[in-house]
């Protein structure tokens, strides 16, 4: 007799669905004949409905997870697939984010139909992005540009660009790779100038704490390397009280010798003031390393750094 399907919760954007299908396909391949049937359940979130305002004004990145997490808590789905960079560090009681797929490319890209690079944009050109981090990084490098809030899924942002609403936009290379849209990339931005958001490029899987059946399934596709890096990055973000109201970048890498390297950056929304730092240590100390670097950056910024610059 066929068992009940394992229900995978996801947002309904093309990228979210591509990520959910990747998780399903990896589970089916890893489990082989023992794989249960899977059902993808699309859940519309507040973040998908509110498109006329910056997320920083209406509740932050949790707007992309609230309804999905409610379904998870209620038992309407068995686990949820997320872009890790959309996940707040504080999860609802009883939920965990501790399974990850192998990480994609973490870099940002510049896209324009008329200009070959960010450096080539003329003064006063308009760059559209929904990310406060990207806005701040653009202004840090090119204070002569106009940066505007630019919401919507990948395809709608590309359509707006084609229609001339902005001169250029910035997106994550990982998402374009997963959608097979690499051909739209004009310039891959160097990590030195554009360090990524915490969790960028990593698909995270959220589940109920103590659900041993689901955790046993997810263990078959979990990438420990990515898990260690995300533990460090999310600990950094947590120490900074980070949300999408705050321009923060963080990127961890794990060397073949087991050494974890973590870089962190905080900026004011106008990009005029920035503090960064680096730490290295054992993979086993990932969370402590992240917390320590976060505390150091917070000290560098001073008590008013975040309070004085609400996500403008």
């Amino acid at each position: 007799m066929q068992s009940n399907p394992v229900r995978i919760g996801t947002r309904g954007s093309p990228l979210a669905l591509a990520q959910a299908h990747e998780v399903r396909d990896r589970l089916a391949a890893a489990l082989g004949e023992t794989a249960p049937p899977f059902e993808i359940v699309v859940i519309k979130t507040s973040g998908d409905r509110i498109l006329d305002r910056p997320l920083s004004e209406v509740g932050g990145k949790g707007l992309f997870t609230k309804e999905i997490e409610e379904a998870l808590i209620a038992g309407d789905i068995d686990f949820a697939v997320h872009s890790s960079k959309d996940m707040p560090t504080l999860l609802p009681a009883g939920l965990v984010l501790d399974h990850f797929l192998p990480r994609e490319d973490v870099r940002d890209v510049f896209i324009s139909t008329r200009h070959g690079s960010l450096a080539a944009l003329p003064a006063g050109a308009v760059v559209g992005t929904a990310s406060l981090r990207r806005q701040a990084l653009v202004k840090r490098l090119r204070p002569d540009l106009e940066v505007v809030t630019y919401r919507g899924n990948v395809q709608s942002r590309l359509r707006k660009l084609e229609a001339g609403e902005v001169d250029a936009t910035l997106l994550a290379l990982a998402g374009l790779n997963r959608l097979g849209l690499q051909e739209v990339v004009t310039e891959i931005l160097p990590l030195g100038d554009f360090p990524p958001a915490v969790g960028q490029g990593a698909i995270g899987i959220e589940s109920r704490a103590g659900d041993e059946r689901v955790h046993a399934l997810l263990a078959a596709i979990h990438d420990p390397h990515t898990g260690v890096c995300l533990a460090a990055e999310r600990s950094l973000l947590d120490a900074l009280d980070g949300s999408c109201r705050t321009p923060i970048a963080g990127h961890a890498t794990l060397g073949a010798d087991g050494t974890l390297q973590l870089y962190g950056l905080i900026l004011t929304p106008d990009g005029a003031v920035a503090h960064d730092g680096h730490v290295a240590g054992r993979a086993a100390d990932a969370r402590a390393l992240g917390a320590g670097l976060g505390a150091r950056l917070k000290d560098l910024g001073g008590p008013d750094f975040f309070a004085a610059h609400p996500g403008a």
Side-chain angles (χ1 to χ4, degrees), residues 159-189:
R159 284 194 295 271
K160 290 179 189 178
L161 175 66
E162 192 69 35
E165 290 189 25
V166 295
D167 296 299
T169 189
L170 306 179
L171 292 172
L173 180 54
L176 296 172
N177 285 342
R178 291 188 176 114
L179 289 167
L181 293 173
Q182 301 92 330
E183 74 278 0
V184 305
V185 174
T186 306
E187 176 189 26
I188 297 177
L189 297 167

Side-chain angles (χ1 to χ4, degrees), residues 10-12 43-70 82-83 85-92 130 151 206 242-245:
T10 178
R11 294 167 60 204
I43 299 169
K44 191 154 192 174
T45 69
S46 302
D48 297 311
R49 287 192 289 267
I50 302 171
L51 295 174
D52 60 342
R53 285 164 286 169
L55 287 180
S56 55
E57 292 180 3
V58 289
K61 61 175 69 176
L63 290 176
F64 284 130
T65 60
K66 179 175 177 286
E67 288 83 359
I68 295 174
E69 290 175 330
E70 288 171 350
H82 301 285
S83 295
K85 69 182 177 66
D86 290 339
M87 295 299 289
T89 55
L90 182 63
L91 302 180
R151 294 282 311 283
E206 189 178 22
S243 72
C244 77
R245 296 179 180 84

Side-chain angles (χ1 to χ4, degrees), residues 107-176:
R107 292 174 294 177
D108 286 323
V109 299
F110 169 86
I111 304 172
S112 176
T113 57
R114 297 190 294 275
H115 306 283
S117 67
L118 180 64
L121 285 175
V126 180
V127 178
T129 173
S131 160
L132 280 181
R133 173 188 59 87
R134 291 179 183 135
Q135 288 180 26
L137 290 170
V138 168
K139 290 176 181 178
R140 185 188 190 194
L141 286 174
R142 292 288 310 271
D144 58 317
L145 299 176
E146 181 183 352
V147 185
V148 299
T149 299
Y150 192 66
R151 294 282 311 283
N153 64 37
V154 169
Q155 285 82 355
S156 65
R157 294 186 208 188
L158 292 174
R159 284 194 295 271
K160 290 179 189 178
L161 175 66
E162 192 69 35
E165 290 189 25
V166 295
D167 296 299
T169 189
L170 306 179
L171 292 172
L173 180 54
L176 296 172

Side-chain angles (χ1 to χ4, degrees), residues 93-293:
L95 300 184
V96 292
L97 182 76
D98 54 6
H99 293 89
F100 302 92
L101 297 193
R103 197 171 201 171
E104 246 280 6
D105 199 308
V106 303
R107 292 174 294 177
D108 286 323
V109 299
F110 169 86
I111 304 172
S112 176
T113 57
R114 297 190 294 275
H115 306 283
S117 67
L118 180 64
L121 285 175
V126 180
V127 178
T129 173
S131 160
L132 280 181
R133 173 188 59 87
R134 291 179 183 135
Q135 288 180 26
L137 290 170
V138 168
K139 290 176 181 178
R140 185 188 190 194
L141 286 174
R142 292 288 310 271
D144 58 317
L145 299 176
E146 181 183 352
V147 185
V148 299
T149 299
Y150 192 66
R151 294 282 311 283
N153 64 37
V154 169
Q155 285 82 355
S156 65
R157 294 186 208 188
L158 292 174
R159 284 194 295 271
K160 290 179 189 178
L161 175 66
E162 192 69 35
E165 290 189 25
V166 295
D167 296 299
T169 189
L170 306 179
L171 292 172
L173 180 54
L176 296 172
N177 285 342
R178 291 188 176 114
L179 289 167
L181 293 173
Q182 301 92 330
E183 74 278 0
V184 305
V185 174
T186 306
E187 176 189 26
I188 297 177
L189 297 167
L191 287 174
D193 291 335
F194 277 82
V198 163
Q200 186 156 310
I203 294 174
I205 306 172
E206 189 178 22
S207 57
R208 290 181 290 273
D211 190 336
E212 294 181 8
R213 171 176 170 259
V214 165
H215 292 183
L217 294 174
L218 297 178
I221 59 170
H222 173 61
D223 182 59
H225 184 126
T226 302
V228 166
C229 292
L230 266 287
E233 291 177 18
R234 286 175 60 76
S235 182
L236 165 74
L237 189 63
D238 189 48
L240 291 166
D241 302 319
S243 72
C244 77
R245 296 179 180 84
T246 309
I248 295 172
H251 182 217
T253 57
L254 186 60
D257 63 352
T259 299
L260 183 73
Q261 307 272 354
L262 176 65
Y263 173 79
L265 170 71
I266 57 174
L267 309 97
T268 52
D270 62 3
V273 182
H275 302 283
D276 67 353
H278 173 268
V279 68
R282 300 185 310 149
D285 299 325
R287 287 184 174 82
L289 290 167
L293 180 56

